[in-house]
Amino acid sequence: MLVVNRFRVGAEEAPVFRDDLAAARDLLAAQPGYVEGSLGRALDDPDLWLLLTRWESVGAYRRALSAYDVKLHAWTTLGRALDEPGAFEDAEPGADLNTASTRSLG
């Protein structure tokens, strides 16, 4: 699964934010199920930053967010993400896509 976190950061904060975002990515990278990740900044809007990570499963991603070190050291940065959907399933040809359906509670 892919996780896209976007951030709006002013030019005066950018150097410190870049280091903080890299540190957050490194903490996530130490968690089980992490596959890869990278930082980016929009070419046409340099105040828009990106943290893109890939995970083995949604469960691995959720457990990573609950890890003690991530909560203690990365949440200040990750909590600045824009409020928008950020978790994406693999939609390459041949992948089984999630279907919206009512789930039974019993």
Side-chain angles (χ1 to χ4, degrees), residues 22-37 53-55 64 70:
R25 188 252 337 259
D26 293 345
L27 286 168
L28 291 170
Q31 304 307 310
Y34 176 90
V35 176
E36 64 182 340
T53 55
R54 182 180 294 271
W55 297 85
V70 172

Side-chain angles (χ1 to χ4, degrees), residues 6 14 16-17 19 25 28-30 39 45 52 57 60-61 63 97 106:
R6 298 185 326 142
V16 171
F17 179 78
D19 291 341
R25 188 252 337 259
L28 291 170
L39 312 180
D45 184 355
L52 174 66
S57 67
Y61 171 62
R63 285 187 294 278
L97 298 178

Side-chain angles (χ1 to χ4, degrees), residues 72-89:
L72 187 63
H73 300 292
W75 265 109
T76 302
T77 302
L78 296 176
R80 295 181 61 178
L82 299 177
D83 186 13
E84 60 187 16
F88 295 85
E89 65 183 323

